[in-house]
Amino acid sequence: MWKWLNRANPEPSFGEFRRKFDQMLGHGRHVFDLASNAILGGADPDVIRDDLFRTDKKINKLERLIRREIVVHATVHGTSQLPSCLVMMSIVKDAERVGDYAKNMFDIAAQTAKKRDDIHADLVKLKAAVSALLAEARDLYGSQEEAGARDFCLRADKLTDHCDQQVNRMVGTEPGTSQPALSALAYRYHKRVMAHLQNIVTSIFMPVDQLDYFDEDKASRDS
Amino acid sequence: MYLLCAVKKWGRVLFLLGLLVVFLVAIKLMGSSFKLLGEDTAESLFRGISNPFAGLAVGILATVLVQSSSVTTSAVVGMVSGGMPVGVAVPVIMGANIGTSVTNTLVSMGHITSGAEFRRAFAGATMHDFFNLMAVAILLPIEMLTGVLQKSATWLTGVIGFGGVAYKSPIKAFIGTLAKGPIRLVTDVLDLSGWAASAVLLALALALIIISLVAITKTMRALMAGRLERALNNVLGKSGLLGMGVGVVITIAVQSSSITTSLLVPLIGAGILAIEVAFPITLGANIGTTITAMLAALASDKSGGLTIALVHLLFNLTGIGLLYPVTRIRRIPVQLAEALAWRAQKNKLWILVYIGGVFVLIPLLGILLFRS
């Protein structure tokens, strides 16, 4: 009876959401790496297509599962954990969007020339940094470490600024690459992936009403 | 921390056991309150609802008023123990089944401002009503003609152990000893007798039944929240007997069919639980809720207490046996609920007419027209 009553504890359900969310982030990094390898690493898109789309479906399935379970959780437990439920509802969307942007990246992979210019080298460095951020976001969400989350956002800010500068360069007179439109899109997609990771990580230290609005706080972080 | 959690958990378990004792004492007091009147007076009192339609109406209205079929069925077990004939109690029990379905219908009103969500939630709630109404419409006339439920329950009571064999239950003896306190307080200390003593004891018994059942339900819900959540997550997207089993288990765990059915309403409204999947869970709740009357029968002096509790179980099992197995018949309550929900979404007056009519006006008219 003791074991039975212990299993009746309401707490584990949020741990279960976090475990599934962690899986989503893991899958997110995998699809991002697959897609960026297709663009930058010269991997054959046809070879990685199945893996990428299968993993993205897993992400989408986990998102729907977490959403359903959050509704059940809120129905059973009432409003006591409502803010946490709302945060989770918001950040699963961000995790799902990482998969979507990876697919967008994959879509332009076939058109991208594998020419090794300066922009290509810069994108390779950016890809490595974003992939590391994906892993770090997963760790930070697991540990809920606030100082690390703030530091993550500062570093992500710098990288997104760099993406903006590069996009501005692509639309200028000296794009520095033979495929400025595709390169601009690649920077744009990397930037969006980082933005969604920042949404996830800021949930560690920002109140629920300010989720997704960390950009507005950027000036104060920079100063 | 671990020690604190352990103390808290075992504290809740002991609190639950205490509440169960209070509940059983209340049932005992309920029976005793009628015995204080004397057999003739009690009999003439119960004769007022000897017409089955009057009994049905009383069951519906009493359950709507206290928002709990468990209170009504437990009180009926107590009354049977105090002299109410089982035959008179059967329609009251059926009425309690109908009355209890108003709670989740009221819960669905929380979605009234959201069009499609309300339609789904209202249909999800009222399918329980329609099923119970159909079950009564079929089984009450059959029972009036044949008394099959009562006869079967009486036979089962005999099989279980009440059939003429004198069995001294230790639980019953313990509850009987505890109940002597309040009875002496009323008859010796307050020096009341006859109607006055009966009325005071009856009021005390009813208050204790309501308080103990509300507290049991709340404590069980707090204790079982994690399990409830897991059970509901497991049943999403599945259907049939598994859902029915989940409904039975959840309702036994929280001691309230209203909690089970009311938990389903927001999930149906949100669209994450299909109405067809929720339907068997609702029927399972009908079976699970019969456990309360069984518990109440533990405090009953006469075999009638257990018999009426078994009637409640047999009625629900038979209803499911008649209305669930054939797909076309099974769809009827759901289709009726969906048709009503479409109308209610378009014109909210339907809600008022439906709830006011089925749960208040018709039972009131039934009492006025059919009471003896």
Side-chain angles (χ1 to χ4, degrees), chain B:
Chain B
M1 190 66 188
Y2 183 77
L3 188 71
L4 190 73
C5 286
V7 169
K8 200 175 165 188
K9 201 151 272 180
W10 279 109
R12 275 179 169 167
V13 174
L14 286 174
F15 181 57
L16 261 176
L17 287 174
L19 288 170
L20 193 61
V21 170
V22 172
F23 171 69
L24 292 175
V25 168
I27 299 295
K28 179 80 182 166
L29 291 177
M30 173 77 69
S32 303
S33 69
F34 286 101
K35 282 177 188 162
L36 283 175
L37 287 175
E39 258 186 40
D40 291 344
T41 319
E43 247 182 63
S44 65
L45 200 68
F46 294 131
R47 213 174 295 133
I49 54 165
S50 59
N51 182 298
F53 297 110
L56 183 74
V58 165
I60 296 173
L61 212 55
T63 308
V64 169
L65 284 174
V66 294
Q67 292 277 300
S68 165
S69 65
S70 295
V71 170
T72 311
T73 54
S74 313
V76 167
V77 168
M79 287 180 200
V80 168
S81 194
M84 180 190 249
V86 174
V88 172
V90 172
V92 183
I93 291 284
M94 291 184 180
N97 245 46
I98 295 175
T100 195
S101 57
V102 76
T103 308
N104 65 343
T105 306
L106 293 176
V107 168
S108 72
M109 294 299 112
H111 304 263
I112 200 160
T113 52
S114 321
E117 188 180 308
F118 168 70
R119 192 184 66 243
R120 288 193 295 264
F122 192 65
T126 52
M127 68 181 174
H128 190 205
D129 312 6
F130 283 111
F131 176 86
N132 286 336
L133 286 166
M134 282 173 69
V136 170
I138 295 167
L139 288 173
L140 182 60
I142 293 175
E143 180 65 11
M144 283 163 68
L145 290 170
T146 63
V148 64
L149 290 175
Q150 190 185 337
K151 284 175 191 166
S152 310
T154 306
W155 176 78
L156 266 177
T157 307
V159 171
I160 291 170
F162 269 99
V165 182
Y167 168 62
K168 294 278 180 194
S169 155
I171 298 172
K172 208 176 287 179
F174 174 62
I175 298 301
T177 311
L178 287 179
K180 277 178 190 163
I183 296 170
R184 278 194 193 134
L185 178 79
V186 172
T187 55
D188 299 347
V189 180
L190 297 175
D191 200 21
L192 298 172
S193 60
W195 276 99
S198 175
V200 171
L201 263 188
L202 187 65
L204 180 67
L206 263 178
L208 286 178
I209 288 174
I210 293 171
I211 291 167
S212 58
L213 275 179
V214 167
I216 285 171
T217 302
K218 282 194 170 174
T219 311
M220 284 304 282
R221 188 173 170 174
L223 268 173
M224 301 303 297
R227 261 177 186 277
L228 269 180
E229 190 178 342
R230 270 190 284 274
L232 285 172
N233 279 328
N234 287 337
V235 87
L236 292 178
K238 293 166 189 158
S239 60
L241 291 175
L242 175 74
M244 209 178 285
V246 167
V248 174
V249 172
I250 291 178
T251 308
I252 290 175
V254 296
Q255 289 285 302
S256 165
S257 62
S258 297
I259 287 193
T260 308
T261 54
S262 299
L263 278 176
L264 302 180
V265 169
L267 303 180
I268 300 168
I272 65 165
L273 182 64
I275 194 165
E276 291 80 8
V277 179
F279 186 55
I281 306 176
T282 302
L283 303 188
N286 268 1
I287 299 172
T289 196
T290 61
I291 194 77
T292 315
M294 299 279 189
L295 280 175
L298 286 175
S300 174
D301 285 337
K302 296 180 180 174
S303 60
L306 180 60
T307 306
I308 194 64
L310 287 169
V311 166
H312 192 201
L313 175 66
L314 290 176
F315 164 66
N316 281 307
L317 287 175
T318 315
I320 291 169
L322 288 173
L323 298 173
Y324 190 76
V326 181
T327 312
R328 275 192 186 178
I329 302 174
R330 183 194 312 159
R331 286 286 303 156
I332 295 172
V334 176
Q335 283 166 341
L336 287 170
E338 284 173 337
L340 178 68
W342 275 104
R343 282 170 178 77
Q345 188 190 355
K346 284 178 187 157
N347 186 350
K348 302 289 184 281
L349 197 63
W350 276 94
I351 303 167
L352 194 68
V353 170
Y354 171 72
I355 297 177
V358 172
F359 296 103
V360 184
L361 271 180
I362 294 173
L364 273 176
L365 278 173
I367 293 172
L368 289 173
L369 292 173
F370 297 111
R371 70 174 175 175
S372 307

